[in-house]
Amino acid sequence: MARFGAFSRLLGLDRPPHRHDHWWHEHRRQLLPSYRDDFYVSAIPAETVTEIALRIRHLIEECVPLELPVEKITSPTSKIITKKVIKAAKEAGGKEHRSCVVYCLLVNKRWWKHQAQVELWDADLHALRAVACEVIAKQIIETEEDTSFLLHEVLLKRYSIMIDNKPTKPSNVIEKAVDLHALRVIGSSGYQKCISYLWRGWLVQDENDPSTFVEYRDKDNTSFWSHLDPDRMRAPMYQNWTQMLISFVYLVLYTLAMNSVNPGGHLDVVEGLLYAFTLGFMCDEFAKVWKAGPAIIGFWSAFNSILYGLLTTSLVFRVIAFSHDSSDVDWRQHYNILSYNFLAESIIFFALLLVIIVGFLQAFLGLDQADDQVVEDTMFIVQSMANALMQSPDFSGFEKFNHPFGLLLYYCFTFVVMVILLNILIALYNSAYEDIYDNANDEYLGMFAQKTMQFVRAPDENVFIPPFNLIEIFLLALPLEWWMNKTTYEKINDWCMATIYSPLLLVSAFIEVKTAQEIRANRARGDGDDDSVEEWEQRMGDLDFEADGWARKVENAKSKLVKMQEGEMDEKEENEEMEIGKLREEVKELKGLLGELVGMMQKEREGKGKEAVKIDNPEVESQGVDSQATQVAEDGDGGPSSSSSSSSSSDGK
């Protein structure tokens, strides 16, 4: 019975029934995607999410009121983004809606980035506030202790906001962080745990509610037959492996096609498979854009689309060549050569940077026409400008070209191209390289998250990886889906997937059995499912640092700054530290005032000593008496110092 159940699972016969039994009772469906964005509904009303986002915006405005160095915001010991600020951000949604706070922070990041582009005079301030949103979001993710709540409610639940009195398309934090390139959020431990679970297929989208992610129920099942499920091909890890294998086969087909030219213009089996693969890839790219929107388009998507376009053009020329009669050898051979030329050029395809030089070209042509009223040196001008672009200028030809203006203009063009533009290009590439190199780890995590989301954010109930998607389109969807009962249609899809992916399912089932054994061992130790025992952890359980007193020594060795950051110092101790700091500043100021007072007293004593010397000298006694009288007249009755000086002088006599 167990093996029969495993066979039923492999063929998809044990799949639970869906809510609707017939296609006609559902909303309209697309040809390729079975899941639609129309089915996604915000977990919290969009009006409420917008209100929470505006609360957080006000918090950021008040906590970051002026421009500061970025280190003041991103530092772990920041005095700007304190625990009170993070706590206030958490309370913006209250206890009922606290799950959408991180999403609202990313919405605010997008708002601040947009405002930085609109208000350039305050761009640095708005960019700093966008960074503050990321820092707060990362702290909230990393300090959340409930892993299940973090994964299912904070990171994977979909939320919307109101724009123009209409709710936006629901999205989750995982998607939002990838779209905004929020590397601090992507690099947080909780976010990476979620990405790891999605990549392995431990978190999968519910078949009945695609906006909800559920745990893979057989994650810890050590039975080999339980993992022979065609739905496991929805895991991004297995899809990636399959795509790499198919790409290798595609390159082999391309190599064989290029080395087996058919002069007659006929299509052989290899070329037929090559063009079928290309058609499957093009349909897959179109389906991704149709389901996920323009956000999924990247550089490599555009690159692949152009490459597929070249191969399609090659196929068109082959069809044109084949349409000519076999007796018309010249035309058939002509289009056949064009086809293979397009096929060969596609392998050396690179993105070209077009440099607009129309201004200089027009100036040179104007000088040529002004010289003899005839434009006759066009090829010479174009060739000279091309040589300058290739860093090989030729100045000799311009000595007689409308001298001296032609030579001066060519000097200017060469200077602009070889000195200014080239150095600017080098500086831009150097700056981009330094930005990536200095933040290489987070950039890698961001690229990995983006790759994972390419498989997750535009899912399909039935995973047919190109070129197998042609089977879904032409053998299943078009002839069957529009009239067949949905349950029967899904069973047929499962049978097809089980047949196509049977070798890969055997390999994946073996891997998942090993993984299930590791999960059970981790749970027996009380560790997480994805933990692994490292070298330093093998003997850690045999030691007791509390008993031998080592833990106390380490605790005493920690600095107060570390304790404050770890939250081991209570609010009273933190206030005491702040008061001590203020007292130190006041003592420093008092010492400065005392130093100034001592200096004044020393100067006064030096002045009195000079007066005493003058009185002891008979030649200047009268002058001393006059000066004292003058001083008494200026000071009025404030002359105790003078009387004391006189008495001391008489005592000295």
Side-chain angles (χ1 to χ4, degrees):
M1 290 296 294
R3 292 190 177 182
F4 180 77
F7 180 75
S8 299
R9 180 193 297 272
L10 176 63
L11 297 181
L13 299 178
D14 63 339
R15 174 173 292 199
H18 287 251
R19 298 176 182 176
H20 304 288
D21 295 330
H22 199 271
W23 177 83
W24 298 104
H25 297 288
E26 296 181 326
H27 296 287
R28 63 183 182 89
R29 301 174 61 189
Q30 301 171 6
L31 176 62
L32 288 179
S34 298
Y35 288 156
R36 282 185 50 85
D37 292 336
D38 298 341
F39 295 160
Y40 294 157
V41 179
S42 179
I44 299 175
E47 295 84 356
T48 305
V49 178
T50 306
E51 180 182 350
I52 296 172
L54 293 175
R55 289 179 181 177
I56 294 176
R57 179 179 176 86
H58 180 68
L59 173 66
I60 299 298
E61 285 179 339
E62 295 298 323
C63 294
V64 188
L66 69 163
E67 294 183 20
L68 297 169
V70 180
E71 294 77 11
K72 297 288 185 180
I73 302 295
T74 60
S75 174
T77 59
S78 174
K79 301 298 182 182
I80 307 299
I81 307 300
T82 60
K83 293 181 180 179
K84 293 183 180 179
V85 175
I86 298 173
K87 182 180 178 182
K90 290 182 179 180
E91 295 175 351
K95 294 182 179 180
E96 185 178 0
H97 303 307
R98 65 188 183 95
S99 59
C100 69
V101 169
V102 176
Y103 177 83
C104 293
L105 284 165
L106 291 179
V107 170
N108 274 274
K109 173 181 171 61
R110 183 176 65 84
W111 286 348
W112 290 122
K113 290 179 65 177
H114 174 73
Q115 194 168 355
Q117 297 176 355
V118 175
E119 300 177 0
L120 295 178
W121 53 90
D122 278 338
D124 294 337
L125 175 59
H126 299 323
L128 187 67
R129 288 170 174 171
V131 172
C133 293
E134 274 196 76
V135 172
I136 297 175
K138 180 178 180 179
Q139 290 294 326
I140 293 176
I141 292 174
E142 293 188 340
T143 55
E144 180 58 51
E145 298 179 355
D146 189 348
T147 304
S148 178
F149 175 78
L150 175 65
L151 296 180
H152 294 279
E153 302 295 329
V154 177
L155 299 179
L156 294 176
K157 279 289 185 182
R158 296 180 179 272
Y159 304 101
S160 301
I161 61 172
M162 297 296 295
I163 297 180
D164 297 331
N165 295 325
K166 296 180 181 179
T168 59
K169 184 178 71 174
S171 60
N172 54 35
V173 172
I174 298 293
E175 297 172 352
K176 204 75 173 177
V178 171
D179 295 340
L180 294 176
H181 201 62
L183 294 181
R184 288 185 177 84
V185 176
I186 293 175
S188 61
S189 58
Y191 188 99
Q192 286 302 310
K193 180 182 285 291
C194 185
I195 287 293
S196 177
Y197 282 18
L198 291 172
W199 177 258
R200 297 182 179 184
W202 292 0
L203 287 174
V204 295
Q205 286 180 308
D206 189 5
E207 295 178 354
N208 295 322
D209 184 9
S211 64
T212 303
F213 286 79
V214 295
E215 298 277 351
Y216 174 49
R217 61 182 183 273
D218 291 326
K219 181 172 58 175
D220 59 341
N221 194 337
T222 56
S223 173
F224 178 83
W225 301 102
S226 64
H227 296 283
L228 284 176
D229 187 356
D231 282 342
R232 292 304 297 157
M233 292 305 300
R234 294 169 62 183
M237 179 172 63
Y238 301 137
Q239 290 190 51
N240 184 59
W241 292 356
T242 308
Q243 285 186 354
M244 292 178 63
L245 179 61
I246 292 175
S247 298
F248 178 76
V249 175
Y250 186 68
L251 291 176
V252 172
L253 292 175
Y254 180 84
T255 304
L256 294 176
M258 288 301 301
N259 289 275
S260 59
V261 178
N262 297 324
H266 298 285
L267 290 175
D268 54 17
V269 176
V270 174
E271 288 182 324
L273 291 175
L274 177 66
Y275 292 125
F277 274 52
T278 304
L279 179 60
F281 292 146
M282 293 177 64
C283 292
D284 182 65
E285 293 291 336
F286 174 76
K288 288 180 180 179
V289 177
W290 183 263
K291 289 184 287 185
I296 203 171
I297 300 177
F299 171 78
W300 292 111
S301 298
F303 183 89
N304 291 335
S305 299
I306 297 176
L307 181 62
Y308 300 150
L310 292 174
L311 291 173
T312 304
T313 305
S314 172
L315 176 61
V316 171
F317 281 126
R318 294 298 300 277
V319 172
I320 294 175
F322 187 73
S323 64
H324 284 76
D325 187 68
S326 58
S327 59
D328 193 357
V329 180
D330 294 336
W331 277 104
R332 174 171 282 200
Q333 186 175 6
H334 171 71
Y335 283 107
N336 197 30
I337 293 174
L338 284 177
S339 171
Y340 280 104
N341 286 339
F342 266 92
L343 204 61
E345 289 297 330
S346 63
I347 198 173
I348 57 172
F349 171 80
F350 294 99
L352 300 179
L353 178 63
L354 298 180
V355 181
I356 306 301
I357 55 174
V358 177
F360 278 97
L361 179 61
Q362 186 176 6
F364 281 121
L365 293 177
L367 288 176
D368 186 19
Q369 185 178 11
D371 188 15
D372 52 5
Q373 303 300 319
V374 178
V375 180
E376 56 185 2
D377 296 328
T378 305
M379 292 303 301
F380 165 73
I381 295 172
V382 173
Q383 183 178 2
S384 299
M385 295 179 70
N387 290 337
L389 290 174
M390 296 295 104
Q391 301 186 22
S392 179
D394 184 12
F395 298 97
S396 59
F398 284 89
E399 293 179 354
K400 298 181 180 180
F401 184 81
N402 203 344
H403 186 79
F405 301 104
L407 185 60
L408 292 176
L409 188 61
Y410 192 66
Y411 275 135
C412 294
F413 174 75
T414 305
F415 176 78
V416 169
V417 171
M418 296 186 61
V419 178
I420 299 179
L421 294 182
L422 181 61
N423 287 320
I424 289 176
L425 183 63
I426 293 174
L428 291 175
Y429 277 123
N430 184 41
S431 177
Y433 176 80
E434 289 181 352
D435 292 341
I436 298 298
Y437 183 80
D438 294 340
N439 202 21
N441 293 334
D442 289 340
E443 290 288 348
Y444 168 76
L445 296 177
M447 292 291 294
F448 184 75
Q450 183 179 11
K451 186 176 185 65
T452 303
M453 295 311 298
Q454 287 180 353
F455 300 106
V456 175
R457 77 185 308 170
D460 198 346
E461 277 182 295
N462 308 306
V463 180
F464 287 92
I465 300 173
F468 302 124
N469 58 344
L470 298 179
I471 297 176
E472 180 187 17
I473 297 173
F474 297 106
L475 299 181
L476 297 175
L478 290 178
L480 302 178
E481 187 180 15
W482 62 276
W483 65 269
M484 185 176 288
N485 180 275
K486 182 169 183 174
T487 303
T488 306
Y489 178 75
E490 289 175 350
K491 289 181 179 180
I492 294 176
N493 275 274
D494 288 339
W495 292 341
C496 292
M497 288 191 295
T499 304
I500 294 172
Y501 300 127
S502 55
L504 297 174
L505 288 175
L506 293 174
V507 177
S508 65
F510 175 77
I511 294 174
E512 290 191 348
V513 168
K514 302 291 291 183
T515 303
Q517 295 174 354
E518 295 176 358
I519 291 174
R520 290 194 172 189
N522 289 336
R523 291 179 178 179
R525 294 192 306 268
D527 298 334
D529 293 345
D530 56 341
D531 286 347
S532 59
V533 180
E534 303 293 344
E535 299 176 2
W536 55 88
E537 296 176 335
Q538 296 176 0
R539 294 291 306 278
M540 187 65 71
D542 300 336
L543 303 177
D544 189 357
F545 294 145
E546 294 289 345
D548 59 13
W550 179 247
R552 177 179 291 274
K553 292 182 179 179
V554 172
E555 185 67 24
N556 295 331
K558 292 189 330 186
S559 65
K560 292 183 178 181
L561 182 62
V562 175
K563 293 181 180 179
M564 184 183 300
Q565 187 64 23
E566 293 178 349
E568 297 179 3
M569 299 179 64
D570 55 15
E571 186 175 358
K572 181 178 179 181
E573 291 178 340
E574 292 183 8
N575 293 334
E576 291 178 354
E577 290 290 333
M578 295 177 62
E579 293 295 334
I580 292 174
K582 292 180 181 179
L583 183 60
R584 288 175 179 173
E585 294 293 333
E586 292 176 357
V587 170
K588 184 177 180 181
E589 184 178 359
L590 182 60
K591 289 174 65 176
L593 294 175
L594 290 175
E596 295 179 359
L597 183 59
V598 170
M600 294 174 61
M601 293 177 65
Q602 289 180 352
K603 291 181 179 179
E604 187 177 357
R605 289 178 181 176
E606 291 176 357
K608 292 178 180 179
K610 292 180 179 179
E611 291 177 357
V613 172
K614 292 178 180 179
I615 293 173
D616 291 338
N617 191 347
E619 297 179 357
V620 296
E621 183 176 359
S622 59
Q623 297 179 0
V625 174
D626 294 337
S627 62
Q628 290 180 1
T630 305
Q631 184 67 25
V632 170
E634 294 177 354
D635 296 340
D637 56 350
S641 60
S642 300
S643 59
S644 61
S645 176
S646 302
S647 60
S648 61
S649 299
S650 60
D651 292 340
K653 292 180 181 179

